[in-house]
């Protein structure tokens, strides 16, 4: 009965969670965290699915820093803007030009207003002045010049709407793209802004069209949508990208898609002789911006280059041209899913290209129903079965449900271009799973504490965490396994310790051992013990690791590199620098909890362990930092190693190869082939040839100076006492 009661509580809590999420989906209430997560998941999907590359169909003529330096600060005089339009349309044959700027105020930079005031005032009776002004007026009226230039050319102007109630609107709006009655009774909550800043009436009348350049800014300041239709004064006005694209398509008709007036507007069709393009919109009449990639996914051309005629004649032919700015001082940089300071003009470019490619994602008003259905199915599946399953079974079920949710979202995103909300489903799965797993928390926590007590002093905490997931699979009982063991020891430590105060020596050792232990743990090693200044560690137990040899060698290389930095710091304190030797060997060894009833240790034993200790001692002989055995070298054929010798150590009759792993970029790598040839001559007792080659190598590479000296001394001894015809090339060491 007790078990049934606990299961019932879990069912109840799970049901409450599902109801909370369904209420969010149906918008009875909003859960702020889910909205934040949804925005994050959407942005990640946008970045991952962005096609990338540069789309040359849309070119941005940039009012950049270079152009402002060459032509003067913005705003430029309208006669200069007129020359820019003439260049773009007449000289460079742009298919359509859209301005992501607004010309709301008259241009008085020519001084015409002052001259006209004089004509009406003190020079009213001066006939010569009046005649001269009459002749000059056309050349000084820059606004009229720009209007005449716009006339008959495919130029679309930009303007903006504002949510501010205070203050009069300025400029002249274009004709609405749709009259109010076209969307009467439609259930969409269109964006409605009360005021605007538009272009001068004469400019608007001369232009081929105009569109607003307002994106919708979400709660987190990110621009993800553009309202293609904005309601103002009972009529509907189009976005700049839509106006430019309709002009590009030859004054394409705009046909609203309203399959069900209750649901509202679902898409807009652009219909022309060049085809039909469908743009999905949401409940506010806004389209998701199909970002192609980060900033400059479209070609940017400095406006000054256009004005000065320095562009290639084919650079803009037949292209859609947007005139805008990337200069920070002109304040048109926006936060987007693909960049925190993204030029606003490129937002319009992305929308135009996305419409042409049918790449605009759809988030129709009815999509919340699909989200609610997914939540209900997940809630029923997990709420019913999770309380009945073991931890492993529950994990598999939750993982499968999560994978299925993501797979459905992926399929809808890429195949149907539908944006199914992902945060609620993901969060529901994780919360239901967490709720059910919480019931076993104390048992699992107790098991983990027991495991940590057994292994925590030896292995990194992250390995203890891995082991705690299946504690029954790990034991401290002795077993045989192929592992890799490392011994590291400081050279001349007795001399160093005798010359230091106890406190300073303690501080030195703590820093040294702490740094080396950190490296071993980062490489998933098991710390066996400290033996004075020596360190013993091994890889491959208690957690199986097929890459144990590689991790041990990489740890040793990093330990040597870290020691160089530590020694430099020690010298700054007046402490002696440290030199360390490390021996590594791989082989079959016994691992387990060994010792007496008074004290035990999780350690390794065996012939392979003893050889690693001997190898560490031989680092002093060969003047190298690391020596590894043949078995370790054989497991890592792709890494660079320098063969040092073949030796026969005390307690072993069989010869063993000694190898030094080389760090990336080591100068010794360049001479490995020459060194190997020298070893061949040496083992063939070709003393003269080996000696000659050793001297040449010693002069060519300081990295071989110590080894060359060692072998030259050996050759000198062998000449006095030849090893004999049966010599196998091994050096025998009787000391441990």
């Amino acid at each position: 009965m007790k078990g049934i009661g606990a299961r019932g509580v879990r069912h109840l809590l799970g049901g409450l969670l599902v109801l909370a999420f369904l209420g969010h989906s149906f918008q009875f209430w909003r859960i702020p965290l889910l909205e934040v997560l949804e925005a994050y998941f959407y942005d990640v999907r946008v970045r991952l699915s962005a096609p990338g590359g540069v789309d040359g169909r849309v070119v941005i003529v940039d009012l950049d820093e270079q152009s402002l330096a060459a032509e003067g600060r913005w705003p430029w005089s309208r006669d200069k803007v007129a020359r820019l339009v003439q260049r773009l349309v007449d000289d460079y044959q742009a298919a359509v030009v859209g301005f992501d700027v607004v010309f709301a105020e008259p241009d008085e930079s020519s001084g015409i207003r002052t001259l006209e005031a004089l004509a009406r005032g003190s020079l009213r009776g001066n006939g010569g002045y009046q005649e001269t002004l009459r002749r000059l007026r056309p050349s000084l009226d820059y606004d009229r010049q720009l209007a005449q230039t716009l006339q008959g050319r495919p130029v679309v102007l930009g303007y903006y709407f504002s949510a501010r109630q205070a203050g009069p609107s300025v400029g002249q709006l274009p004709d609405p793209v749709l009259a109010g009655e076209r969307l009467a009774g439609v259930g969409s909550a269109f964006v409605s802004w009360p005021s605007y800043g538009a272009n001068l009436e004469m400019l608007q009348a001369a232009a081929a069209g105009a569109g607003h350049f307002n994106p919708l800014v979400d709660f987190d300041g990110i621009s993800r949508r553009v309202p293609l239709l904005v309601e103002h004064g009972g009529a509907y006005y189009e976005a700049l990208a839509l106006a430019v694209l309709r002009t590009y398509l030859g004054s394409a008709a705009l046909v609203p898609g309203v399959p069900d007036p209750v649901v509202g507007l679902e898409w807009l069709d652009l219909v022309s002789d060049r085809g039909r393009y469908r743009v999905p919109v949401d409940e506010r009449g806004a389209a998701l911006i199909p970002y192609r990639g980060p900033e400059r996914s479209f070609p940017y051309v400095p406006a000054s280059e256009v004005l000065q005629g320095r562009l290639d004649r084919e650079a803009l032919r037949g292209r859609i041209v947007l005139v805008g700015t990337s200069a920070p001082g002109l304040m048109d940089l926006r936060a987007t899913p693909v960049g925190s300071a993204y030029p606003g003009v490129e937002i319009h470019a992305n929308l135009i290209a996305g419409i042409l490619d049918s790449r605009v994602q759809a988030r129709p008003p009815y999509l919340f129903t699909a989200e609610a259905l997914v939540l209900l199915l997940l809630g029923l599946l997990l709420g019913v079965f999770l309380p009945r399953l073991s931890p492993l079974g529950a994990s598999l079920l939750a993982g499968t449900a999560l994978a299925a949710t993501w797979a459905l979202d992926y399929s809808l995103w890429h195949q149907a271009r539908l944006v199914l909300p992902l945060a609620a489903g993901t969060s529901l799965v994780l919360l239901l799973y967490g709720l059910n797993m919480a019931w076993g928390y104390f048992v699992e926590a107790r098991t983990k504490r027991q495991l940590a007590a057994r292994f925590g002093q030896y292995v990194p905490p992250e390995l203890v965490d891995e082991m705690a997931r299946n504690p029954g699979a790990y034991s401290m009982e002795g077993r045989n396994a192929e592992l890799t063991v490392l011994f590291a020891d400081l050279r001349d430590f007795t001399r160093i310790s005798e010359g230091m105060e106890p406190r300073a020596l303690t501080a030195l050792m703590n820093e040294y051992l702490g740094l080396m232990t950190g490296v071993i743990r980062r490489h998933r090693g098991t710390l066996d013990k400290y033996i004075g200044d020596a360190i013993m560690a091994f890889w491959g137990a208690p957690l199986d690791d097929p890459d144990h040899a590689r991790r041990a060698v990489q740890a040793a290389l990093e330990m040597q590199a870290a020691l160089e930095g530590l020694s430099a710091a020690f010298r700054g304190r007046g402490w002696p620098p440290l030199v360390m030797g490390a021996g590594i060997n791989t082989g079959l060894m016994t691992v387990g909890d060994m010792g007496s009833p008074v004290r035990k240790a999780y350690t390794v034993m065996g012939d392979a362990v003893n050889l690693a200790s001997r190898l560490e001692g031989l680092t002093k002989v060969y003047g190298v930092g690391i020596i590894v055995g043949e078995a370790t070298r054989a497991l890592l054929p792709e890494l660079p190693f320098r063969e040092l010798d073949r030796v026969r150590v005390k307690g072993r009759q069989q010869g063993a190869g000694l190898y030094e792993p080389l760090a990336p970029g080591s100068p010794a790598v360049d001479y490995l082939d020459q060194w190997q040839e020298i070893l061949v001559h040496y083992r063939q007792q070709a003393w003269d040839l080996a000696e000659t080659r050793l001297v040449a190598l010693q002069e060519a590479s300081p990295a071989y100076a110590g080894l060359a000296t060692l072998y030259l001394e050996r050759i000198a001894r062998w000449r006095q006492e030849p090893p004999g015809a049966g010599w196998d090339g091994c050096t025998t060491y009787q000391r441990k």
Side-chain angles (χ1 to χ4, degrees), residues 8 10 49 51 108 136 204 207 303 316 325 443 520 531 562 564 566 680 711 730:
R10 282 191 276 179
S49 62
E108 300 179 357
L136 291 178
Q204 183 58 64
L316 304 178
T325 180
V443 174
I520 291 170
I531 312 168
E564 290 183 12
L566 186 64
V680 172
Y711 273 86
C730 284

Side-chain angles (χ1 to χ4, degrees), residues 486-497 505-506 508-514 516-517 520 527 529-537 559 563 578-582 616 620:
L486 174 147
F487 284 87
D489 194 13
L490 291 177
R491 296 177 186 166
D492 296 327
F493 183 70
T494 300
R495 177 184 56 81
I496 292 173
S497 61
L505 181 63
T506 301
L508 180 146
M509 286 304 301
N510 286 342
E511 287 195 44
Y512 163 71
L513 293 174
M516 297 299 108
T517 302
I520 291 170
L527 180 66
K529 61 177 69 72
Y530 301 129
I531 312 168
D533 61 295
I535 302 171
M536 179 180 175
M559 289 166 72
L563 189 62
L578 303 180
V579 179
M580 180 184 70
E616 181 277 317
K620 295 189 284 276

Side-chain angles (χ1 to χ4, degrees), residues 128-144:
Y129 179 83
Q130 297 290 343
E131 176 59 24
T132 301
L133 180 58
R134 184 187 65 79
R135 285 187 291 102
L136 291 178
R137 184 176 283 110
S139 64
L140 297 176
D141 191 345
Y142 291 166
D143 288 328
R144 192 165 300 280

Side-chain angles (χ1 to χ4, degrees), residues 239-256:
L240 178 62
L242 199 59
V244 169
L245 192 53
R246 289 203 309 119
T247 302
Y248 174 73
L249 296 174
S251 300
L254 189 66
V255 181

Side-chain angles (χ1 to χ4, degrees), residues 32-277:
L33 179 58
L34 290 183
E35 294 184 336
V36 173
L37 288 175
E38 190 59 57
Y40 171 76
F41 284 145
Y42 175 80
D43 293 348
V44 169
R45 285 175 284 179
V46 167
R47 290 192 291 269
L48 292 178
S49 62
V54 177
D55 188 343
R57 294 172 300 176
V58 184
V59 179
I60 295 170
V61 172
D62 193 7
L63 304 171
D64 57 0
E65 299 287 359
Q66 172 186 329
S67 299
L68 298 181
E71 301 292 338
R73 64 183 181 86
W74 186 263
W76 290 342
S77 61
R78 301 285 159 76
D79 65 326
K80 186 174 293 186
V81 177
R83 290 202 309 274
L84 180 64
V85 171
Q86 287 176 328
R87 284 283 195 185
L88 290 171
V89 177
D90 300 348
D91 297 345
Y92 290 105
Q93 299 292 300
V96 61
V97 177
F99 276 90
D100 187 29
V101 294
V102 60
F103 306 108
E105 303 293 337
D107 183 358
E108 300 179 357
S109 61
S110 66
I112 188 172
R113 297 293 178 260
T114 302
L115 296 175
E116 288 181 338
L118 289 173
R120 293 190 300 270
S122 59
L123 297 177
R124 179 184 303 175
N126 190 322
Y129 179 83
Q130 297 290 343
E131 176 59 24
T132 301
L133 180 58
R134 184 187 65 79
R135 285 187 291 102
L136 291 178
R137 184 176 283 110
S139 64
L140 297 176
D141 191 345
Y142 291 166
D143 288 328
R144 192 165 300 280
Q145 286 184 36
L146 178 56
Q148 291 170 351
T149 303
L150 295 177
Q151 193 71 45
R153 289 182 172 87
V155 179
V156 178
L157 300 181
Y159 63 94
Y160 63 87
F161 282 107
S162 175
R164 291 181 297 179
Q165 299 284 349
S169 297
V170 296
Q172 176 64 48
L173 284 178
D175 292 335
V177 69
L178 291 175
E181 56 268 18
R182 289 288 302 276
L183 296 175
V186 172
S188 297
F190 290 103
V191 175
S192 180
W193 283 314
S195 57
Y196 58 83
N199 296 282
L200 294 176
E201 182 177 359
M202 73 169 68
L203 300 181
Q204 183 58 64
H212 73 83
F213 43 68
N214 299 74
L216 284 179
V217 180
D218 288 339
F219 67 93
D220 53 0
I222 305 295
S223 296
R224 300 181 179 90
R225 298 174 294 160
V226 169
L228 296 187
L229 295 179
V230 170
E231 188 277 329
H232 176 80
Y236 297 91
Y237 295 85
E238 62 187 325
L240 178 62
L242 199 59
V244 169
L245 192 53
R246 289 203 309 119
T247 302
Y248 174 73
L249 296 174
S251 300
L254 189 66
V255 181
V258 187
D260 184 348
V262 176
V263 174
L265 180 69
E266 293 188 32
W267 66 80
L268 292 170
D269 281 340
L270 280 67
V271 183
S272 74
D273 294 339
R274 298 176 61 177
R276 188 184 192 100
Y277 296 88

Side-chain angles (χ1 to χ4, degrees), residues 675 694-695 697-698 704-714:
W675 173 250
L694 279 168
V695 171
L697 181 59
Q698 193 175 37
Y704 286 84
L707 278 176
T709 300
L710 174 66
Y711 273 86
L712 287 171
E713 293 173 354
R714 287 183 180 179

